Amino acid sequence: MIENLCVILGDQLSQNIASLKNFRKEQDKILMMEVVNEASYVNHHKKKLVLVFSAMRHFAENLKKQGYPIIYSKIDNSSNTFTEELVKHCKNIKPKKIVIVHPGEYRVLQEIKKWKKILKIPVSIIEDNRFFCNIDEFQKWAGNKKELRMETFYRMMRKKHHILVDDDGKPQGGKWNYDVKNRKRLPKSHPKIPQLLEHRPDRITNQVIIDVKKKFSKHFGDLEPFWFATTNQDAMKNLEEFIENRLELFGPYEDAMVQNEKFLYHSVLSMYLNIGLLEPKQVINKVLQKKNISIESIEGFVRQILGWREYIRGIYWHEMPKYSKTNFFNAKNHLPEFYWTGKTEMNCMKNCLKQTIQDAYAHHIQRLMITGNFSLIAGIDPKQVCDWYLSVYADAFEWVELPNTHGMTLYADGGILGTKPYAASGNYINKMSDYCKECKYDVKQKEGKDACPFNYLYWNFFLTNREKLENNPRLWTTFSNIKKMSKERKKQIKNDSKKFLIQIKKI
Ligand code: FAD
Ligand code: DLZ
Ligand code: SF4
């Protein structure tokens, strides 16, 4: 008789996962399940499906080699949901108890909470120890605070974990945050950027590619060429390559965007971190060991993982389930079809969408200030935008996608996460990228059919949402400009925006 059935989910692929800590090979068993519902509850990118299934199969094979008894359900022979598949196996092996690490998504937690009643055995949900900050600790930190700001949380984490702080608790280098130094455009004369480490699919990955082609051919994105790491060892090589070749310039060019340069100096590690092939503590330790890197880059990178990533997760569990339902601006427009096809004449959008289709990747500023900014100022329904982001990126899991999209990008939470909406006109995009020079639209023109759509949509957004935003002190300059605007100009902005929004509905 099996004592504990230890269920490991597709984003829990860490050898250190808490559910394996007290595992006894003689009397316990592991269950891993590829199931249709997880693969299709949104239109996941095909590369993301291959990543998750291949990493799961590699992880299982590795556990088997270490002598762990394991049941593995492959997608071509499995049920629709975790519950159906679990019930099937429990009938056979009759475990006394289910053990599972707290899942990453609220949706899955709700499913797991029903297992006790369905299976009539205890279900132990144990804490996910891979994060720096657990859910209860964040709740305590949030307490009755009026504002939950990332910067305050991040400083607390730096001090608590003694990361980049001196013995007296002061930040190394004298400052907590070097963000202002990290906003450079990539100069034209910049030397060649090191190439990202790509991996050739092995036997397991090739089989998964066949399975995904067979079952999910209608899903979003290009399946091949597939180049992601699918094991801890390969993901580790990507981390090492990043630290060696990219980290030094990560900080200064964090916000830059360049046509046909998909990765620049970004780490491209989120997809490995989010499924457990890499662990945040391991990544930060390795980065801190590297000598002779400027504090701007080290701090900039540490802030993303110790600050943003942990804070975003805390906000998700603090605010769910009500978080996903809010719509502060009452935005109702449909997501334009070109988000799925990439067929638009806005060159910035086309570039970001094209690389999303090809590689299931875009870096933060492309997501926030191009595709995200557009959906904000075009008044697109938050639910449709969130579903899109959850589908198209290899690193997309709701706990991290939702606060970034719904909160940071769309301000649909009314300011829980951000202090103001990240709306920007073409001027910002032109400053930070080289997209505009090859665009059909003219970034310098403010109105009329040739004007950059970001220019009038930007003002249209503030005119439409004036009542909700004009008392925000961070938007004082924006609204003082609006006060100076002539009636004719406002009318023109409204007309140009209306025409454009009608036209994109038809494409
Ligand atoms: P780098 O720029 O190299 O940053 C290093 C690491 O820091 C990342 O790997 C990531 O783990 C972490 N990180 C950086 N910024 C954030 C952030 N804002 N929130 C959480 N972690 C962060 N990230 C996801 O992991 N999954 C998502 O589904 C996701 N959806 C997003 C949706 C929108 C609209 C926006 C604006 C951002 C989203 N992000 C998401 C955050 C961020 O864009 C990605 O983490 C980052 O682009 C991943 O690329 P990278 O590994 O090269 O990151
Ligand atoms: C993303 C994903 C996909 C596509 N498929 C599976 C799967 O078949 N089996 C599985 O265990 N996990 C999968 N995942 C990851 C889960 O959706 C993930 O565990 C939840 O998002 C909970 O965080
Ligand atoms: Fe994008 Fe406007 Fe520049 Fe074209 S002109 S690339 S639409 S910002």
Side-chain angles (χ1 to χ4, degrees):
M1 178 113 171
I2 298 297
E3 287 282 328
N4 292 335
L5 182 62
C6 165
V7 177
I8 299 184
L9 300 175
D11 56 355
Q12 301 180 341
L13 310 178
S14 314
Q15 182 80 44
N16 288 327
I17 196 81
S19 49
L20 290 182
K21 283 263 146 60
N22 296 317
F23 191 90
R24 295 147 308 173
K25 290 178 181 163
E26 318 71 48
Q27 59 208 73
D28 299 338
K29 231 179 174 57
I30 294 169
L31 172 64
M32 291 179 72
M33 310 170 264
E34 295 174 12
V35 294
V36 177
N37 190 52
E38 290 307 304
S40 54
Y41 74 95
V42 288
N43 184 13
H44 292 296
H45 197 295
K46 294 190 205 80
K47 277 199 170 77
K48 177 180 176 185
L49 293 177
V50 176
L51 169 74
V52 174
F53 292 160
S54 176
M56 283 176 72
R57 291 184 196 184
H58 279 99
F59 186 74
E61 196 173 88
N62 187 29
L63 288 180
K64 250 186 224 161
K65 275 189 199 146
Q66 296 173 55
Y68 283 93
I70 177 158
I71 310 171
Y72 191 98
S73 313
K74 285 191 182 159
I75 194 74
D76 51 3
N77 192 19
S78 174
S79 314
N80 273 327
T81 64
F82 286 138
T83 306
E84 285 164 18
E85 190 61 16
L86 177 67
V87 168
K88 195 170 90 187
H89 291 292
C90 284
K91 275 189 187 144
N92 283 336
I93 57 174
K94 299 189 176 54
K96 285 194 185 152
K97 187 169 138 193
I98 305 290
V99 177
I100 186 164
V101 164
H102 193 289
E105 300 192 347
Y106 185 84
R107 173 185 65 82
V108 180
L109 181 63
Q110 296 317 104
E111 184 174 347
I112 295 171
K113 282 185 173 166
K114 293 183 190 138
W115 288 353
K116 187 174 169 209
K117 203 163 166 201
I118 296 171
L119 297 166
K120 299 186 179 60
I121 51 171
V123 176
S124 165
I125 304 175
I126 51 185
E127 191 182 302
D128 192 338
N129 57 352
R130 296 171 299 169
F131 290 87
F132 281 92
C133 180
N134 65 42
I135 295 170
D136 288 346
E137 188 186 355
F138 189 91
Q139 306 284 23
K140 261 193 219 131
W141 173 78
N144 294 325
K145 281 192 184 63
K146 250 180 152 180
E147 290 190 326
L148 302 177
R149 294 291 161 244
M150 197 297 280
E151 191 61 34
T152 330
F153 170 80
Y154 169 56
R155 289 182 193 186
M156 183 271 284
M157 294 299 280
R158 288 258 303 267
K159 283 186 203 151
K160 181 177 172 198
H161 294 278
H162 293 282
I163 294 176
L164 298 178
V165 288
D166 296 334
D167 291 342
D168 56 2
K170 299 250 166 62
Q172 265 173 33
K175 284 203 241 165
W176 287 104
N177 186 322
Y178 290 84
D179 222 9
V180 278
K181 295 209 168 179
N182 289 349
R183 288 183 189 146
K184 288 194 181 138
R185 191 183 205 271
L186 200 82
K188 268 197 198 122
S189 57
H190 191 76
K192 202 171 159 14
I193 296 166
Q195 259 215 311
L196 200 73
L197 183 63
E198 299 186 351
H199 303 270
R200 287 246 303 265
D202 64 0
R203 170 186 56 85
I204 293 180
T205 304
N206 277 324
Q207 182 55 52
V208 175
I209 290 175
I210 293 171
D211 295 348
V212 169
K213 262 187 199 157
K214 207 160 77 190
K215 259 192 120 75
F216 304 104
S217 64
K218 293 210 164 58
H219 272 233
F220 178 76
D222 296 348
L223 198 159
E224 289 169 297
F226 184 85
W227 52 267
F228 299 169
T230 53
T231 61
N232 161 260
Q233 292 91 317
D234 280 350
M236 203 55 163
K237 287 184 196 152
N238 283 68
L239 170 61
E240 281 158 7
E241 187 277 337
F242 166 70
I243 293 174
E244 213 37 54
N245 301 329
R246 249 167 250 279
L247 176 60
E248 176 57 38
L249 292 181
F250 171 84
Y253 300 120
E254 210 181 327
D255 287 6
M257 292 173 282
V258 181
Q259 187 146 257
N260 303 323
E261 280 291 350
K262 298 179 231 185
F263 309 112
L264 293 163
Y265 291 95
H266 289 272
S267 67
V268 195
L269 296 174
S270 50
M271 54 189 160
Y272 309 134
L273 278 160
N274 294 353
I275 60 172
L277 297 189
L278 293 176
E279 291 193 40
K281 290 170 194 162
Q282 180 186 38
V283 171
I284 289 197
N285 284 342
K286 273 225 165 238
V287 162
L288 294 176
Q289 277 163 22
K290 176 76 180 162
K291 300 273 177 286
N292 303 322
I293 301 278
S294 66
I295 184 77
E296 287 90 345
S297 280
I298 297 270
E299 189 284 315
F301 188 75
V302 165
R303 176 159 19 104
Q304 305 311 315
I305 299 202
L306 181 69
W308 278 111
R309 191 170 185 272
E310 299 283 330
Y311 166 79
I312 287 282
R313 177 174 182 258
I315 291 281
Y316 178 78
W317 287 106
H318 190 255
E319 298 297 326
M320 281 301 276
K322 57 187 188 302
Y323 198 68
S324 60
K325 310 275 183 328
T326 55
N327 186 352
F328 183 66
F329 296 123
N330 204 16
K332 287 195 174 125
N333 287 333
H334 282 289
L335 187 83
E337 189 56 24
F338 61 68
Y339 270 78
W340 299 106
T341 62
K343 289 186 183 141
T344 162
E345 290 184 298
M346 290 177 282
N347 194 39
C348 52
M349 291 288 282
K350 187 160 68 190
N351 259 270
C352 296
L353 294 169
K354 195 174 87 186
Q355 74 175 68
T356 301
I357 293 169
Q358 285 173 349
D359 288 308
Y361 179 85
H363 70 66
H364 187 67
I365 296 301
Q366 294 174 311
R367 295 186 206 195
L368 181 66
M369 301 309 290
I370 307 288
T371 45
N373 178 24
F374 183 86
S375 61
L376 168 73
I377 61 180
I380 300 169
D381 169 19
K383 168 85 176 92
Q384 293 184 37
V385 183
C386 289
D387 277 356
W388 184 78
Y389 277 100
L390 193 55
S391 307
V392 302
Y393 292 112
D395 59 19
F397 291 85
E398 197 191 60
W399 67 265
V400 52
E401 175 277 323
L402 187 74
N404 269 297
T405 312
H406 194 85
M408 188 189 303
T409 305
L410 298 176
Y411 203 77
D413 62 1
I416 292 174
L417 198 143
T419 49
K420 69 172 180 121
Y422 276 101
S425 68
N427 190 31
Y428 170 87
I429 297 172
N430 196 29
K431 203 173 83 195
M432 294 312 299
S433 79
D434 63 353
Y435 295 138
C436 299
K437 65 181 190 322
E438 283 188 28
C439 187
K440 177 197 134 160
Y441 297 105
D442 183 351
V443 71
K444 301 277 179 233
Q445 286 195 43
K446 308 278 177 252
E447 48 194 59
K449 72 174 183 18
D450 294 329
C452 164
F454 283 85
N455 288 344
Y456 46 78
L457 289 175
Y458 171 80
W459 288 113
N460 187 52
F461 167 75
F462 285 110
L463 287 170
T464 311
N465 297 301
R466 190 171 181 164
E467 272 182 26
K468 288 183 172 144
L469 294 174
E470 73 181 336
N471 292 328
N472 183 326
R474 293 200 63 201
L475 294 170
W476 190 87
T477 322
T478 313
F479 283 102
S480 68
N481 283 331
I482 286 185
K483 277 180 202 139
K484 285 184 237 150
M485 237 178 225
S486 68
K487 259 192 191 157
E488 292 70 45
R489 171 103 174 92
K490 284 184 195 159
K491 203 168 150 200
Q492 179 78 40
I493 289 167
K494 290 259 163 211
N495 278 342
D496 284 341
S497 302
K498 197 170 163 192
K499 256 194 228 157
F500 181 80
L501 293 173
I502 290 174
Q503 181 211 322
I504 58 173
K505 266 192 206 157
K506 294 182 193 145
I507 303 171

